[in-house]
Amino acid sequence: MALKYAKRMDNIRASEIRELLKLTQKPGIISFGGGFPAPELFPVDEMIEISKYVIENHGSKALQYGPTEGYEPLRTAIAKRMEKMQAHVEGKDILVTSGSQQGLDFTAKLFINPGDTIILEKPSYLGAINAFKAYEPNFVDIELEDDGMNMDELEEALRTTENVKFIYIIPDFQNPSGKTWSLEKRKKLVELGNKYDVAIVEDNPYGELRFEGELLPSIKHFDTEGRVIYLGTFSKILCPGFRLGWIAASPEVLNKYVLMKQGADLQSSTISQIEVATYLEKYNIEDHIEKIKETYKRRRDLMINVMKEEFPKEIKYTIPEGGLFTWVTLPEYMNSRDLAVKALEKNVAYVPGGSFYANGGHENDMRLNYSAMEDDKIVEGMKRLAEVIKAEMK
Amino acid sequence: MALKYAKRMDNIRASEIRELLKLTQKPGIISFGGGFPAPELFPVDEMIEISKYVIENHGSKALQYGPTEGYEPLRTAIAKRMEKMQAHVEGKDILVTSGSQQGLDFTAKLFINPGDTIILEKPSYLGAINAFKAYEPNFVDIELEDDGMNMDELEEALRTTENVKFIYIIPDFQNPSGKTWSLEKRKKLVELGNKYDVAIVEDNPYGELRFEGELLPSIKHFDTEGRVIYLGTFSKILCPGFRLGWIAASPEVLNKYVLMKQGADLQSSTISQIEVATYLEKYNIEDHIEKIKETYKRRRDLMINVMKEEFPKEIKYTIPEGGLFTWVTLPEYMNSRDLAVKALEKNVAYVPGGSFYANGGHENDMRLNYSAMEDDKIVEGMKRLAEVIKAEMK
């Protein structure tokens, strides 16, 4: 038997993160890989109440098919919550998706013919790069500075590249780099989008998890022409197990996403949507987010402190103002994939940075997650990692 | 602003069914449209117990990310249940999906380059046709006889068509026609798949809902070379609100689906998977399926009886041995889309048959669903429909 697959399958590889997650199931591993939120913060008691309440009160309706666009009260609640990011949308502008990962897949499916170009940050989110690859794009990756893309380089790319369909960015505490776009560059990005008539895809899973500094307006806030597509998710502010996220877009664009959702899986889980809507109605998610921020800030500090004290001075890292990740740049003579094997021998895991470069070529970065490990493990794991790195220094 | 979408979007239209569902939300409508299972049969009381039990016993693990392939005990339980369809697979051969609709989308994504051919039944499931269209295939549709495809026509198509990637069929109580493949044609189908080295996609949401006659082995049962891809779902035997289905395939093929799942939405809902696995463990789903069958058989009989008594003799219809649908063929001078408007004026809805033909050209069929309406409404609605039809007879 020799089944013939589609050409796109040549581009699809296993996500290094998901593969790594399998390893990190090993007992005793201290994992800075993955991007898991802290499970001890999930509102388990509230969810016991809610899951009982929803099925008792909604009965068979909670178990039946529902509209493709999503559960109406959830769409309205999402739109209202987006005010926090200074994005002004209504329930009708929201499509509920199966996590924001589905928004990434749909976006490439919506825009990309083989050979079209996606502009994205360098580095960018591995899961987005992998989802996009299935639609056979070219990637133009733009240097990510401490306050966002190098805007001259971005404009040059827009000016000189044909068939650029969208610019993909994560504005707040980016995955993997932990970096945040400045107010000025946010404005400028939308101006460039308007000037060159390309869509802007704002992936914003972490924006609300800011521990310090001021909450900045989303890119969507600056959108004057309906070209910014906002991807959101409950995975990091509530829990990922429901697989619920959303797309906010202008009516014309949203309508296309809805058609795509019909073909892809009809709709997201009816019961999960009602449960999350009920949580938002009955509990104060802002209080819950405060608790998450407090814990993540403490863990970030623990991680950064070990790096300050134990890492050789040549090694650079981000001090993120929020989110789940820091990003470490090793000397160029080190290879972070090789180092990962040595770290695993000491029961410490992280994700090598190479996979976050859409066009490859960088092998001396590491992404470190601080949200998923308990405080003492962070300290212990980072000390071990420091030892592994020190042993490789020239 | 003039955003440029991918070429595939030219092929994607709103599903007539989903659009119709919006109309059928109107109070007072008797709807034979949609393919909704009877909500009064959903195990609501059991689900109240289970949702409480799962979160109390699994706690934060039920709300966290899980493996892409699916929740291990659910995969094992699904594989075991497939014995009923005489398909011999193990948990490792199962990928949990967001409904079987996701299996359809993934299958076209896995196999289809623009211009490749999909062979399918004539008529076939509208939701499959729409999902496939996003990948720009050619369709070769093969006459569906009372016992399956016309096998001579199928072999001729396989012999003369280039780049046939898969044959898509619904073997039991097909949506829309209500027809069932004979044992002989099932065997022959796999022989032809082997001979011409193409994949066979068996979409089997209704197989277990057989009211009369003998349960036939699935197509997967005859698979000797790992070329049959089986799509299953909990939507019709339990409830659709969880959006849980599965793909059973050989290791090589399944591995590709798993990569696709990573990019599409990472995984299906952790908590829903644990809930369904718990239901299968704590309750007897076979008893539950018996109840469904009893109700659907009664409703089928009610529907068929009105047709026998009230429909003009020229009108043909299927008497399905199971499942959710019957299929009515009107005289060729009638147009079932026009008729649908007249039926809606009498508050009766159905899905016109035209959309179930991948290559179009048939406008005198109707798909009637008998699972979702209560008994008295079926009788009343069918009488009204008979009046509408009689008024159009020449």
Side-chain angles (χ1 to χ4, degrees):
Chain A
M1 188 180 73
L3 295 181
K4 280 170 221 78
Y5 304 107
K7 191 167 160 286
R8 69 178 65 83
M9 294 306 295
D10 300 344
N11 302 316
I12 302 182
R13 297 269 171 279
S15 151
E16 211 160 339
I17 295 181
R18 300 295 286 187
E19 293 307 303
L20 195 83
L21 288 183
K22 289 183 192 163
L23 283 178
T24 58
Q25 306 291 329
K26 269 188 10 191
I29 281 267
I30 297 177
S31 175
F32 306 129
F36 280 30
E40 65 274 25
L41 301 178
F42 295 160
V44 172
D45 291 339
E46 291 88 332
M47 284 302 164
I48 292 173
E49 290 304 311
I50 282 173
S51 56
K52 197 164 159 281
Y53 175 89
V54 164
I55 189 122
E56 278 178 0
N57 285 272
H58 294 260
S60 61
K61 282 210 172 115
L63 303 173
Q64 184 60 288
Y65 288 113
T68 298
E69 292 83 349
Y71 178 58
E72 205 63 48
L74 182 62
R75 297 170 75 200
T76 307
I78 288 169
K80 211 171 141 210
R81 290 204 74 255
M82 283 182 64
E83 290 291 341
K84 189 173 170 189
M85 307 307 292
Q86 299 181 49
H88 310 301
V89 298
E90 296 171 46
K92 67 170 179 46
D93 305 317
I94 304 292
L95 167 68
V96 178
T97 58
S98 300
S100 57
Q101 185 69 32
Q102 187 170 54
L104 296 169
D105 178 59
F106 282 2
T107 299
K109 192 173 181 183
L110 174 57
F111 285 107
I112 300 300
N113 294 313
D116 284 349
T117 290
I118 295 170
I119 293 183
L120 75 182
E121 294 159 303
K122 180 182 182 177
S124 183
Y125 170 49
L126 166 55
I129 296 169
N130 281 347
F132 296 161
K133 275 184 177 170
Y135 301 93
E136 304 168 73
N138 294 324
F139 292 112
V140 172
D141 48 356
I142 306 289
E143 196 62 34
L144 182 60
E145 300 171 338
D146 284 341
D147 60 348
M149 278 181 180
N150 178 317
M151 299 307 275
D152 293 334
E153 201 186 319
L154 172 60
E155 178 150 19
E156 185 62 14
L158 286 166
R159 209 176 55 75
T160 58
T161 315
E162 294 208 341
N163 300 319
V164 176
K165 290 299 188 68
F166 62 85
I167 305 168
Y168 168 70
I169 76 145
I170 302 167
D172 292 313
F173 332 120
Q174 195 229 24
N175 180 355
S177 72
K179 292 175 181 174
T180 297
W181 283 56
S182 67
L183 191 70
E184 190 181 66
K185 285 195 175 178
R186 287 170 197 241
K187 272 187 218 166
K188 180 75 181 169
L189 176 65
V190 176
E191 283 165 26
L192 289 177
N194 289 346
K195 181 169 172 188
Y196 292 95
D197 202 11
V198 298
I200 296 167
V201 180
E202 173 178 26
D203 185 9
N204 204 330
Y206 317 112
E208 296 189 54
L209 302 180
R210 175 179 275 282
F211 330 133
E212 56 202 26
E214 216 182 322
L215 211 65
L216 292 173
S218 59
I219 311 293
K220 184 77 183 155
H221 170 77
F222 299 100
D223 187 15
T224 49
E225 305 187 353
R227 72 174 64 253
V228 177
I229 295 158
Y230 183 103
L231 309 181
T233 178
F234 286 104
S235 294
K236 304 307 187 293
I237 55 172
L238 189 60
C239 60
F242 289 120
R243 308 303 306 121
L244 287 179
W246 66 91
I247 297 170
S250 64
E252 178 199 307
V253 178
L254 196 80
N255 185 43
K256 303 218 176 263
Y257 278 111
V258 172
L259 293 180
M260 207 167 265
K261 178 82 178 162
Q262 282 187 0
D265 60 8
L266 299 182
Q267 56 158 120
S268 288
S269 161
T270 314
I271 185 164
S272 298
Q273 290 186 71
I274 301 178
E275 285 174 351
V276 171
T278 305
Y279 176 85
L280 294 176
E281 192 195 309
K282 291 193 172 294
Y283 295 92
N284 188 340
I285 193 173
E286 303 308 329
D287 289 351
H288 180 64
I289 292 172
E290 285 306 313
K291 275 203 296 185
I292 297 175
K293 282 159 57 175
E294 197 180 294
T295 301
Y296 290 6
K297 179 181 189 307
R298 190 178 67 243
R299 291 181 179 174
R300 178 206 63 175
D301 290 344
L302 288 169
M303 184 172 268
I304 298 287
N305 280 345
V306 180
M307 293 205 280
K308 262 189 199 146
E309 285 166 22
E310 309 272 347
F311 275 28
K313 294 299 159 226
E314 297 89 326
I315 291 174
K316 293 185 173 48
Y317 48 86
T318 311
I319 303 178
E321 296 181 321
L324 280 65
F325 304 105
T326 182
W327 179 249
V328 177
T329 304
L330 302 166
E332 283 192 15
Y333 61 80
M334 282 193 200
N335 181 303
S336 64
R337 290 183 211 261
D338 298 343
L339 204 77
V341 177
K342 290 175 183 158
L344 267 176
E345 284 166 10
K346 303 212 175 230
N347 276 339
V348 176
Y350 64 83
V351 183
S355 314
F356 296 93
Y357 291 91
N359 293 322
H362 286 248
E363 296 297 350
N364 59 320
D365 305 294
M366 309 190 289
R367 190 192 71 176
L368 299 183
N369 167 275
Y370 49 77
S371 60
M373 285 286 122
E374 282 158 24
D375 298 16
D376 54 338
K377 288 199 175 158
I378 291 181
V379 175
E380 173 59 28
M382 288 303 292
K383 283 184 178 168
R384 288 190 209 164
L385 190 58
E387 290 310 310
V388 173
I389 291 171
K390 278 191 253 182
E392 298 297 309
M393 293 296 291
K394 277 185 189 162
Chain B
M1 188 179 75
L3 295 180
K4 281 171 220 77
Y5 304 107
K7 192 166 159 288
R8 69 178 64 82
M9 295 306 294
D10 300 344
N11 303 316
I12 303 183
R13 297 270 171 278
S15 151
E16 213 160 339
I17 294 181
R18 302 293 288 185
E19 293 306 304
L20 195 84
L21 289 183
K22 289 183 192 163
L23 283 179
T24 59
Q25 306 291 328
K26 269 190 7 192
I29 282 266
I30 298 177
S31 177
F32 305 130
F36 280 31
E40 64 274 26
L41 301 177
F42 295 160
V44 172
D45 290 339
E46 291 87 333
M47 283 302 164
I48 292 173
E49 290 304 311
I50 281 172
S51 57
K52 197 163 158 283
Y53 176 89
V54 164
I55 189 123
E56 278 178 0
N57 285 272
H58 293 260
S60 61
K61 281 211 173 116
L63 303 173
Q64 185 59 290
Y65 288 113
T68 298
E69 292 83 349
Y71 179 59
E72 206 62 49
L74 181 62
R75 298 170 75 199
T76 306
I78 288 170
K80 211 173 143 210
R81 290 203 75 254
M82 283 183 64
E83 290 291 339
K84 189 173 170 188
M85 307 307 292
Q86 300 181 47
H88 310 300
V89 298
E90 296 172 45
K92 69 170 179 47
D93 304 317
I94 304 291
L95 167 68
V96 178
T97 58
S98 300
S100 57
Q101 185 69 32
Q102 188 169 53
L104 296 169
D105 178 57
F106 283 1
T107 299
K109 191 174 181 182
L110 174 57
F111 286 107
I112 300 300
N113 294 314
D116 284 349
T117 290
I118 296 170
I119 293 183
L120 75 183
E121 294 160 302
K122 180 184 182 176
S124 183
Y125 171 48
L126 165 54
I129 295 170
N130 280 346
F132 296 161
K133 275 184 177 170
Y135 302 93
E136 304 168 73
N138 295 322
F139 293 112
V140 171
D141 49 356
I142 305 290
E143 197 61 36
L144 183 59
E145 300 171 339
D146 285 342
D147 60 347
M149 279 180 179
N150 178 317
M151 299 306 276
D152 293 335
E153 200 187 319
L154 172 61
E155 179 150 19
E156 185 63 14
L158 286 166
R159 208 177 54 75
T160 59
T161 316
E162 294 209 340
N163 300 317
V164 175
K165 290 300 186 70
F166 62 85
I167 305 168
Y168 168 70
I169 76 144
I170 302 167
D172 292 314
F173 332 119
Q174 194 230 25
N175 180 355
S177 72
K179 292 174 181 173
T180 296
W181 283 57
S182 67
L183 191 70
E184 191 182 65
K185 285 196 175 177
R186 287 171 197 242
K187 271 189 219 165
K188 179 76 181 168
L189 176 65
V190 176
E191 283 166 27
L192 289 177
N194 289 345
K195 180 167 172 189
Y196 293 94
D197 201 11
V198 298
I200 297 168
V201 180
E202 173 178 27
D203 185 9
N204 204 329
Y206 316 112
E208 296 189 54
L209 303 180
R210 176 179 274 282
F211 331 132
E212 56 202 24
E214 217 182 319
L215 211 65
L216 293 172
S218 60
I219 310 294
K220 185 76 184 157
H221 169 79
F222 299 100
D223 187 14
T224 49
E225 304 186 353
R227 72 174 64 253
V228 177
I229 295 158
Y230 183 103
L231 309 182
T233 178
F234 286 103
S235 293
K236 305 306 187 291
I237 56 171
L238 189 59
C239 60
F242 289 120
R243 310 301 307 122
L244 287 179
W246 66 90
I247 298 170
S250 64
E252 178 200 309
V253 178
L254 197 80
N255 184 43
K256 304 219 175 262
Y257 278 111
V258 172
L259 292 180
M260 208 168 266
K261 179 81 179 164
Q262 281 188 0
D265 60 8
L266 299 181
Q267 56 159 118
S268 288
S269 161
T270 313
I271 184 164
S272 299
Q273 290 186 71
I274 301 177
E275 285 174 352
V276 172
T278 305
Y279 176 86
L280 294 175
E281 193 195 309
K282 291 192 171 294
Y283 296 92
N284 188 339
I285 194 172
E286 302 308 328
D287 289 351
H288 179 64
I289 292 171
E290 286 306 313
K291 275 203 297 183
I292 297 175
K293 284 159 56 175
E294 197 180 294
T295 301
Y296 290 6
K297 179 181 190 306
R298 191 178 67 243
R299 292 181 178 174
R300 177 205 64 176
D301 290 343
L302 288 169
M303 183 171 269
I304 299 287
N305 280 346
V306 180
M307 294 204 280
K308 260 190 199 146
E309 284 165 20
E310 309 272 348
F311 274 28
K313 294 297 159 230
E314 297 89 326
I315 292 174
K316 293 186 173 47
Y317 48 85
T318 311
I319 303 178
E321 296 181 322
L324 279 66
F325 303 105
T326 182
W327 180 248
V328 177
T329 303
L330 302 167
E332 282 191 16
Y333 60 80
M334 281 193 199
N335 180 303
S336 64
R337 289 183 212 261
D338 298 343
L339 204 77
V341 176
K342 290 173 182 157
L344 266 178
E345 285 166 8
K346 303 210 174 230
N347 276 339
V348 176
Y350 64 84
V351 183
S355 315
F356 296 93
Y357 291 91
N359 293 322
H362 286 247
E363 296 298 349
N364 58 321
D365 303 296
M366 307 189 291
R367 189 192 72 175
L368 300 181
N369 166 276
Y370 49 77
S371 61
M373 285 285 122
E374 283 158 23
D375 298 16
D376 55 338
K377 287 198 175 161
I378 292 181
V379 175
E380 173 59 26
M382 288 304 291
K383 283 184 177 165
R384 288 189 208 165
L385 190 57
E387 291 310 310
V388 172
I389 291 171
K390 278 190 251 180
E392 299 297 309
M393 294 297 291
K394 279 186 187 161

